[in-house]
Amino acid sequence: MPMNTPAAGVRRLESPTEAQLQALAALLIDCVESGASVSFMQPLPAPKALAFWRGVAESVARGERALLVAEDADGIVGTVQLVLALPENQPHRAEIAKMLVHSRARRRGWGDALMQAAEQVARACGKSLLVLDTSSSDAERLYARCGWQRCGTIPGYALLPQGGHCDTTFFYRVLQD
């Protein structure tokens, strides 16, 4: 399978390098500049994006989350996190966070490949329930295609990166063996 196909290009990062953190920061900036409501406002300075990813790397090192990346011949084109460290009464579940695909690589199967990989990692970690939220109608369609169940929308939940409130839709997925 060539490296530019999504299934061949997704892997878990156990200990991200500085170059990978820089690439993830550039990916986050691209997504925020493209209007993704992913916790950051425009403009997103590179040092702030890099600080975020360094914090993620520290969380990965502590075993609190899994970090997956999608790569093509030009480098990292997408990422997703699986938040594993949840309260003790929720050992069976994990949260999907920061599912991002670079604007140059959208609508090519990377989001689907990232979600499938995240589900595989969740199963390997003994998780049977996943949850996520999104403010993107494109992402909603992806999650529905991947078998996720929509459970509701909260109006005005967050801000768009350029300002203004946006609604957020919540999804869950029960993992089958």
Side-chain angles (χ1 to χ4, degrees), residues 16-53:
T17 66
E18 183 63 22
Q20 290 166 329
L21 294 175
Q22 293 281 346
L24 287 164
L27 170 63
L28 180 58
I29 290 167
D30 172 76
C31 290
V32 171
E33 288 303 313
S34 297
S37 178
V38 290
S39 305
F40 296 94
M41 302 300 288
Q42 293 175 358
L44 175 56
K48 186 174 187 175
L50 187 56
F52 168 77
W53 287 108

XYZ file of all heavy atoms in Angstrom, residues 16-53:
279
model
N 6.720 11.827 21.040
C 6.900 12.727 19.894
C 8.233 13.469 19.932
O 8.662 13.932 20.983
C 5.735 13.703 20.010
C 4.788 13.101 20.979
C 5.561 12.167 21.840
N 8.854 13.579 18.769
C 10.101 14.332 18.639
C 9.786 15.816 18.528
O 8.634 16.211 18.293
C 10.864 13.892 17.381
O 10.084 14.277 16.223
C 11.136 12.391 17.370
N 10.820 16.636 18.633
C 10.631 18.078 18.478
C 10.100 18.403 17.083
O 9.218 19.251 16.926
C 11.945 18.823 18.744
C 11.813 20.323 18.679
C 10.888 20.947 19.723
O 10.627 20.337 20.779
O 10.405 22.075 19.472
N 10.614 17.718 16.071
C 10.140 17.955 14.695
C 8.667 17.586 14.560
O 7.897 18.287 13.888
C 10.988 17.166 13.697
N 8.253 16.498 15.187
C 6.839 16.106 15.140
C 5.971 17.109 15.888
O 4.874 17.443 15.429
C 6.666 14.698 15.711
C 7.244 13.629 14.813
C 7.383 12.292 15.496
O 7.603 12.193 16.718
N 7.267 11.222 14.708
N 6.450 17.618 17.016
C 5.695 18.635 17.755
C 5.557 19.906 16.922
O 4.492 20.528 16.907
C 6.356 18.928 19.097
C 6.353 17.780 20.109
C 7.157 18.159 21.349
C 4.933 17.369 20.479
N 6.601 20.283 16.211
C 6.542 21.451 15.334
C 5.510 21.226 14.222
O 4.735 22.134 13.891
C 7.919 21.729 14.718
C 8.973 22.182 15.709
C 8.863 23.641 16.093
O 8.162 24.427 15.457
N 9.563 24.023 17.154
N 5.499 20.022 13.652
C 4.539 19.707 12.584
C 3.112 19.704 13.120
O 2.185 20.176 12.445
C 4.885 18.361 11.952
N 2.927 19.201 14.334
C 1.595 19.209 14.943
C 1.145 20.640 15.231
O -0.031 20.975 15.059
C 1.588 18.360 16.215
C 1.642 16.852 15.977
C 2.028 16.112 17.247
C 0.310 16.346 15.429
N 2.072 21.495 15.650
C 1.740 22.900 15.890
C 1.303 23.568 14.584
O 0.310 24.304 14.557
C 2.929 23.628 16.504
N 2.014 23.284 13.501
C 1.638 23.857 12.191
C 0.270 23.344 11.758
O -0.536 24.102 11.200
C 2.698 23.505 11.149
N -0.022 22.077 12.019
C -1.331 21.505 11.700
C -2.430 22.210 12.492
O -3.469 22.588 11.939
C -1.323 20.001 12.007
C -2.664 19.280 11.963
C -3.273 19.313 10.569
C -2.493 17.838 12.449
N -2.211 22.401 13.776
C -3.203 23.079 14.615
C -3.447 24.503 14.123
O -4.600 24.941 14.013
C -2.735 23.089 16.072
C -3.652 23.767 17.082
C -5.043 23.138 17.109
C -3.013 23.734 18.474
N -2.392 25.215 13.796
C -2.535 26.584 13.282
C -3.347 26.580 11.990
O -4.250 27.402 11.806
C -1.155 27.240 13.090
C -0.522 27.508 14.455
C -1.266 28.531 12.274
C 0.961 27.868 14.410
N -3.064 25.643 11.093
C -3.816 25.539 9.839
C -5.304 25.325 10.112
O -6.156 25.964 9.489
C -3.270 24.396 8.982
C -4.136 24.127 7.763
O -4.060 24.920 6.801
O -4.901 23.136 7.784
N -5.607 24.435 11.040
C -7.015 24.141 11.328
C -7.726 25.333 11.959
O -8.862 25.645 11.591
C -7.118 22.900 12.213
S -6.660 21.376 11.344
N -7.063 26.023 12.875
C -7.668 27.206 13.498
C -7.861 28.303 12.446
O -8.912 28.937 12.389
C -6.817 27.694 14.696
C -7.305 29.043 15.206
C -6.859 26.652 15.817
N -6.873 28.493 11.597
C -6.996 29.496 10.530
C -8.108 29.126 9.544
O -8.716 30.007 8.941
C -5.666 29.678 9.790
C -4.621 30.399 10.611
C -5.069 31.781 11.083
O -5.599 32.562 10.277
O -4.884 32.077 12.285
N -8.389 27.836 9.412
C -9.463 27.369 8.523
C -10.830 27.447 9.185
O -11.836 27.088 8.584
C -9.192 25.924 8.093
O -8.002 25.840 7.347
N -10.864 27.887 10.461
C -12.137 28.084 11.139
C -12.561 26.992 12.092
O -13.678 27.022 12.608
N -11.693 26.016 12.363
C -12.060 24.929 13.273
C -12.149 25.434 14.710
O -11.234 26.081 15.206
C -11.048 23.793 13.176
N -13.251 25.111 15.362
C -13.436 25.460 16.767
C -12.840 24.331 17.611
O -13.506 23.360 17.960
C -14.926 25.640 17.080
O -15.091 25.933 18.451
N -11.549 24.465 17.901
C -10.823 23.419 18.626
C -10.086 24.006 19.827
O -8.930 23.673 20.093
C -9.855 22.643 17.692
C -10.622 21.781 16.715
C -8.923 23.597 16.952
N -10.752 24.913 20.527
C -10.281 25.500 21.787
C -9.383 26.718 21.641
O -8.967 27.279 22.646
C -9.551 24.466 22.650
O -10.355 23.340 22.888
N -9.054 27.129 20.432
C -8.142 28.247 20.230
C -8.792 29.328 19.368
O -9.630 29.045 18.529
C -6.846 27.776 19.558
C -6.070 26.812 20.412
C -6.235 25.448 20.261
C -5.185 27.276 21.372
C -5.533 24.550 21.048
C -4.480 26.386 22.177
C -4.654 25.019 22.007
N -8.339 30.567 19.580
C -8.841 31.708 18.832
C -7.798 32.152 17.809
O -6.603 31.896 17.967
C -9.165 32.869 19.782
C -10.191 32.526 20.877
S -11.801 31.994 20.267
C -12.437 33.543 19.650
N -8.269 32.835 16.754
C -7.375 33.396 15.737
C -6.878 34.764 16.211
O -7.641 35.485 16.855
C -8.116 33.587 14.421
C -8.538 32.334 13.746
C -9.379 32.616 12.502
O -9.672 33.745 12.153
N -9.794 31.548 11.827
N -5.675 35.121 15.862
C -4.646 34.259 15.285
C -4.012 33.405 16.377
O -3.884 33.848 17.524
C -3.633 35.250 14.708
C -3.748 36.459 15.592
C -5.207 36.508 16.014
N -3.624 32.201 16.020
C -2.972 31.297 16.968
C -1.460 31.410 16.769
O -0.943 30.958 15.747
C -3.441 29.858 16.749
C -2.763 28.784 17.596
C -2.893 29.079 19.092
C -3.350 27.411 17.266
N -0.756 32.011 17.719
C 0.697 32.148 17.580
C 1.395 30.785 17.657
O 0.984 29.912 18.430
C 1.106 33.029 18.760
C -0.152 33.556 19.360
C -1.262 32.636 18.936
N 2.441 30.627 16.894
C 3.186 29.357 16.876
C 3.673 28.936 18.262
O 3.553 27.754 18.609
C 4.345 29.446 15.889
N 4.202 29.846 19.100
C 4.644 29.412 20.436
C 3.500 28.835 21.285
O 3.703 27.881 22.033
C 5.220 30.683 21.068
C 5.623 31.536 19.900
C 4.592 31.250 18.841
N 2.312 29.400 21.149
C 1.164 28.896 21.904
C 0.762 27.511 21.396
O 0.453 26.614 22.189
C -0.011 29.870 21.784
C -1.204 29.516 22.643
C -2.251 30.615 22.581
C -3.360 30.359 23.568
N -4.313 31.483 23.582
N 0.761 27.322 20.077
C 0.434 26.015 19.500
C 1.466 24.977 19.919
O 1.116 23.844 20.281
C 0.352 26.112 17.979
N 2.722 25.333 19.892
C 3.785 24.405 20.287
C 3.693 24.067 21.767
O 3.859 22.905 22.162
C 5.150 25.002 19.944
C 6.346 24.089 20.147
C 6.204 22.777 19.375
C 7.629 24.818 19.737
N 3.387 25.045 22.611
C 3.218 24.791 24.050
C 2.080 23.803 24.284
O 2.188 22.909 25.143
C 2.964 26.098 24.788
N 1.001 23.936 23.518
C -0.106 22.987 23.639
C 0.387 21.567 23.361
O 0.113 20.648 24.120
C -1.250 23.359 22.688
C -2.273 22.273 22.571
C -3.202 22.064 23.582
C -2.291 21.420 21.475
C -4.135 21.047 23.495
C -3.214 20.394 21.381
C -4.145 20.208 22.399
N 1.102 21.380 22.249
C 1.553 20.036 21.873
C 2.596 19.491 22.838
O 2.644 18.277 23.071
C 2.031 20.006 20.423
C 0.860 20.092 19.510
C 0.487 21.153 18.732
C -0.142 19.094 19.305
N -0.683 20.860 18.064
C -1.086 19.611 18.401
C -0.335 17.806 19.810
C -2.200 18.890 17.982
C -1.442 17.084 19.396
C -2.359 17.625 18.498
